[in-house]
């Protein structure tokens, strides 16, 4: 009886170990995600997919010449993720008490910013999110992260992003002015919106989601930051497999939060940035695009080249 009992325990232990191993393949325990498909020394991830042909195809989407700024204005009152803040100060050096410079009475304004680069509309680079201190392409924090910035995967490495952008109107899909926080977009949801809008996803695309979440700013900042709708991990995998270069929308993390299936912190961002080298575009204001029913457009972004930063404030432009 004792021997039989021992065998059953051993068998159960084997099953548990096998299950744990299979689970790890989809989570932080998986090390099969590096080196990158773009080479062991690659530092730009999915942006390797962009080429002159994709740019020219995107340019042909311009029909009217109308431009749409996609950023939100940034000031000290804009709600930001946890510890982040933004303060701007106007300084007039040498002009105290109304003084001027030179016989022509030259005067000028200069601004000093004390703030986090992750406030407002932003580009999150592939060096921003890691898994147990390992980042895109297997780069370990101890090898490239310093207090004065990263030595690899910095924003300065990111080439201009000029490609086709699409916006998916989840507000219309759910029939609510603001999609409820905690709503996880599935593959089926995304496919249904694509069909309704008469578009498809192509290799090299930037895919944006309109959820109405920006309407909460200044009205309910607490709710804005505590929860949000967005894609779940299955939808993230599907989007990545379509060959997109960036995902994002009008929320602050671009994924459903909190995660409805576990207590994991931002698993979609881990998968997209660290494992697949796909960039995250946060707080994108797509409301004007949706009002004009502009579902596909030329997306243009040339971000500030802050050497060593993993994220930066941006104002991308959609051109129709």
């Amino acid at each position: 009886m004792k021997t039989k009992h021992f065998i059953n325990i051993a068998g159960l232990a084997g099953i548990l170990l096998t299950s744990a191993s299979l689970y790890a393949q989809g989570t932080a325990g998986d090390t099969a995600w590096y080196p990158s498909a773009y080479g062991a020394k690659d530092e730009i991830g999915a942006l390797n997919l962009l080429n002159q042909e994709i740019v020219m195809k995107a340019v042909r989407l311009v029909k009217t010449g109308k431009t749409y700024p996609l950023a939100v204005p940034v000031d000290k009152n804009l709600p930001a993720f946890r510890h982040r803040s933004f303060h701007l100060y106007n300084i007039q050096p040498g002009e105290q008490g109304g003084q001027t410079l030179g016989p022509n009475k030259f005067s000028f304004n200069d601004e000093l910013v004390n703030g986090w680069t992750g406030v407002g509309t932003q580009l999150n680079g592939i060096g921003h999110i890691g898994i147990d201190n390992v980042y895109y392409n297997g780069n370990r924090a101890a090898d490239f992260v310093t207090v004065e910035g990263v030595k690899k995967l910095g924003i300065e490495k990111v080439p201009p992003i000029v490609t086709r952008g699409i916006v998916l109107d989840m507000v219309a899909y759910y029939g609510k002015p603001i999609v409820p926080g905690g709503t996880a977009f599935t593959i089926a949801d995304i496919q249904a919106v694509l069909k309704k809008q008469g578009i498809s996803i192509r290799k090299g695309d930037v895919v944006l989601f309109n959820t109405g979440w920006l309407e909460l700013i200044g009205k309910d900042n607490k709710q804005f930051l505590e929860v949000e709708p967005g894609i779940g991990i299955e939808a993230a995998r599907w989007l990545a497999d379509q060959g997109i270069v960036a995902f994002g929308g009008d929320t602050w993390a671009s994924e459903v939060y909190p995660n409805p299936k576990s207590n994991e912190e931002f698993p979609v961002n881990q998968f997209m940035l660290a494992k697949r080298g796909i960039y995250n575009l946060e707080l994108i204001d797509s409301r004007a695009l949706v009002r004009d029913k502009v579902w596909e457009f030329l997306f243009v972004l040339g971000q500030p080249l802050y050497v060593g930063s993993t994220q930066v404030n941006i104002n991308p432009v959609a051109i129709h």
Side-chain angles (χ1 to χ4, degrees):
M1 289 294 292
K2 289 183 179 179
T3 303
K4 185 176 181 180
H5 182 65
F6 175 77
I7 292 172
N8 287 342
I9 296 260
L12 178 60
I15 292 171
L16 289 174
L17 286 171
T18 301
S19 298
S21 175
L22 290 172
Y23 176 76
Q25 292 178 18
T27 60
D30 177 20
T31 59
W33 48 278
Y34 56 86
S36 163
Y38 305 110
K41 295 183 179 180
D42 178 61
E43 294 188 58
I44 65 169
L47 290 181
N48 282 286
L49 296 174
L50 298 187
N51 54 37
Q52 291 175 306
E53 180 183 0
I54 285 178
V55 172
M56 291 304 298
K57 286 182 178 179
V59 168
R60 288 194 282 271
L61 293 171
V62 177
K63 307 298 182 184
T64 67
K66 186 172 182 178
T67 60
Y68 297 81
L70 300 180
V72 298
V74 179
D75 64 17
K76 65 181 182 180
N77 299 312
L78 185 68
F81 177 70
R82 295 179 184 172
H83 54 274
R84 297 176 189 165
S85 62
F86 180 92
H87 296 277
L88 182 146
Y89 305 95
N90 182 273
I91 301 172
Q92 298 173 307
E95 300 173 61
Q96 298 86 347
Q99 297 182 69
T100 58
L101 305 175
N104 55 329
K105 297 185 177 181
F106 176 78
S107 60
F108 67 101
N109 294 309
D110 249 6
E111 285 71 45
L112 172 68
V113 169
N114 181 5
W116 297 77
T117 57
V119 176
T121 305
Q122 62 199 262
L123 170 68
N124 282 351
I126 55 179
H128 181 54
I129 301 292
I131 302 173
D132 195 16
N133 290 300
V134 180
Y135 294 77
Y136 173 75
N137 222 352
N139 287 290
R140 301 184 180 277
D143 298 330
F144 80 105
V145 179
T146 77
V147 71
E148 294 187 334
V150 294
K151 302 305 180 184
K152 290 183 178 181
L153 308 178
I155 287 295
E156 76 277 8
K157 305 289 179 61
V158 179
I161 303 177
V162 181
T163 189
R164 176 180 181 254
I166 67 170
V167 60
L168 303 182
D169 187 11
M170 309 312 288
V171 167
Y173 176 70
Y174 287 101
K176 298 178 182 294
I178 300 175
V179 179
T183 302
F185 307 154
T186 66
I187 300 171
D189 294 332
I190 294 171
Q191 291 176 332
V193 176
L194 288 168
K195 182 177 180 180
K196 179 181 179 182
Q197 295 180 186
I199 58 176
S200 60
I201 296 176
R202 304 173 190 167
K203 184 177 76 171
D205 278 357
V206 168
V207 178
L208 306 173
F209 293 88
N210 181 72
T211 71
W213 211 243
L214 292 181
E215 298 296 334
L216 293 174
I217 292 179
K219 300 174 184 175
D220 193 341
N221 290 348
K222 186 173 184 290
Q223 181 185 359
F224 179 83
L225 292 173
E226 283 185 349
V227 296
E228 68 175 33
I231 59 175
I233 193 65
E234 293 82 6
R237 290 193 181 100
W238 183 81
L239 286 169
D241 289 343
Q242 308 311 301
I244 68 171
V245 298
F247 73 109
D250 54 4
T251 60
W252 51 268
S254 304
E255 67 174 281
V256 60
Y257 188 84
N259 190 279
K261 294 186 177 181
S262 72
N263 61 354
E264 292 179 315
E265 284 283 287
F266 308 106
V268 167
N269 273 268
Q270 283 186 316
F271 173 78
M272 290 294 226
L273 277 69
K275 291 190 174 185
R276 300 297 291 267
I278 297 171
Y279 293 74
N280 181 3
L281 299 162
E282 296 175 347
L283 264 65
I284 297 290
D285 190 350
S286 56
R287 289 174 291 191
L289 289 170
V290 169
R291 282 195 297 269
D292 290 352
K293 299 189 185 308
V294 176
W295 308 131
E296 58 177 349
F297 45 86
L298 173 64
F299 178 93
V300 180
L301 172 62
Q303 79 288 349
L305 301 181
Y306 292 168
V307 175
S309 182
T310 65
Q311 57 185 340
V312 70
N313 307 110
I314 56 171
N315 182 24
V317 177
I319 308 173
H320 178 247

